[in-house]
Amino acid sequence: MSLRYVLLALLSKKPNSGYGLGRLLQRQLGHLWEARLQQIYGEMAKLQSAGLVEAEEIELPNRPAKKIYSLTPEGQEALDDWLAGRCSPHSHKDEMLVRLYCLERMPPDVLARRLEEQRDEYEAEVVDLRNRLSQVPRTDAAQAGLLLTLEAALAVAEAQGRWFEKAISWLDSAGAALAAEPSAESLRASA
């Protein structure tokens, strides 16, 4: 998925400015997607060039004109085609897991601290998502999509938090055994 479809999805709800899209993205879909304003403005220019959105300039006193973007019929069709298509397989990029792959190269205290930080971040995310979920009316059909995405993000954050707790526990119990094994680096130094 690309930022293009995230922006088309947001614009399908109502026309908005680039700045407004950035705020809406953070508020409505921040649990799913992150983008800087610079990326949003760049993508909006591409969408406009492709004829998928149009912009109406609103003159403002003592400030530059503001562009309000809306979907064109072609943009609505592109969004509908994307919505009807199959989802791409989930690609998982996780910096912490790559670091864990090389855990024998990390000092145990640094590794433990990084795992605890990740666990704490997921626990904070769980609290935030639960708070956000509590504010979404469950009887409002217009909010059903937001409700479901927040519940999915909550399930992932809870599972990640549990996994990091399990990893910390495993490393605590396996720490002595791992420390007793010579590392590749120490084997090279002794050769």
Side-chain angles (χ1 to χ4, degrees):
M1 178 173 69
S2 69
L3 179 58
R4 162 180 291 228
Y5 295 108
V6 174
L7 294 173
L8 291 175
L10 290 170
L11 285 172
S12 74
K13 303 291 184 179
K14 72 175 194 173
N16 214 327
S17 66
Y19 180 77
L21 286 168
R23 292 188 65 211
L24 189 60
L25 174 60
Q26 185 178 24
R27 201 171 54 248
Q28 293 285 310
L29 297 176
H31 58 287
L32 303 174
W33 197 274
E34 293 179 7
R36 296 182 313 275
L37 276 176
Q38 179 181 352
Q39 293 172 292
I40 291 170
Y41 285 121
E43 191 61 37
M44 292 311 298
K46 291 176 190 174
L47 289 169
Q48 191 173 6
S49 292
L52 301 179
V53 301
E54 57 191 5
E56 177 186 351
E57 289 203 14
I58 308 289
E59 295 297 325
L60 300 172
N62 303 323
R63 293 191 315 191
K66 176 165 67 169
K67 287 184 178 181
I68 301 295
Y69 297 96
S70 59
L71 291 179
T72 62
E74 293 83 6
Q76 291 176 24
E77 184 178 332
L79 177 60
D80 290 342
D81 288 347
W82 178 77
L83 290 170
R86 291 191 63 150
C87 292
S88 299
H90 178 70
S91 66
H92 189 74
K93 298 176 186 175
D94 193 315
E95 183 179 342
M96 187 64 208
L97 292 182
V98 175
R99 289 174 188 224
L100 275 177
Y101 180 73
C102 296
L103 69 87
E104 73 279 359
R105 300 182 61 82
M106 294 178 74
D109 60 322
V110 172
L111 177 59
R113 197 166 43 250
R114 295 299 167 259
L115 288 170
E116 289 166 357
E117 289 167 354
Q118 291 281 293
R119 178 204 55 209
D120 294 348
E121 285 180 25
Y122 281 111
E123 287 175 354
E125 187 176 351
V126 164
V127 169
D128 177 60
L129 288 165
R130 284 183 179 154
N131 287 337
R132 291 179 65 191
L133 265 167
S134 71
Q135 297 169 12
V136 178
R138 295 187 176 271
T139 56
D140 184 354
Q143 297 292 313
L146 175 60
L147 182 70
L148 289 171
T149 62
L150 285 169
E151 286 181 349
L154 176 61
V156 169
E158 288 172 336
Q160 289 284 53
R162 284 191 306 272
W163 184 88
F164 275 102
E165 190 59 47
K166 181 179 176 180
I168 291 165
S169 177
W170 184 87
L171 285 172
D172 282 347
S173 64
L178 291 173
E181 292 181 20
S183 68
E185 197 170 287
S186 66
L187 288 175
R188 279 194 299 270
S190 66

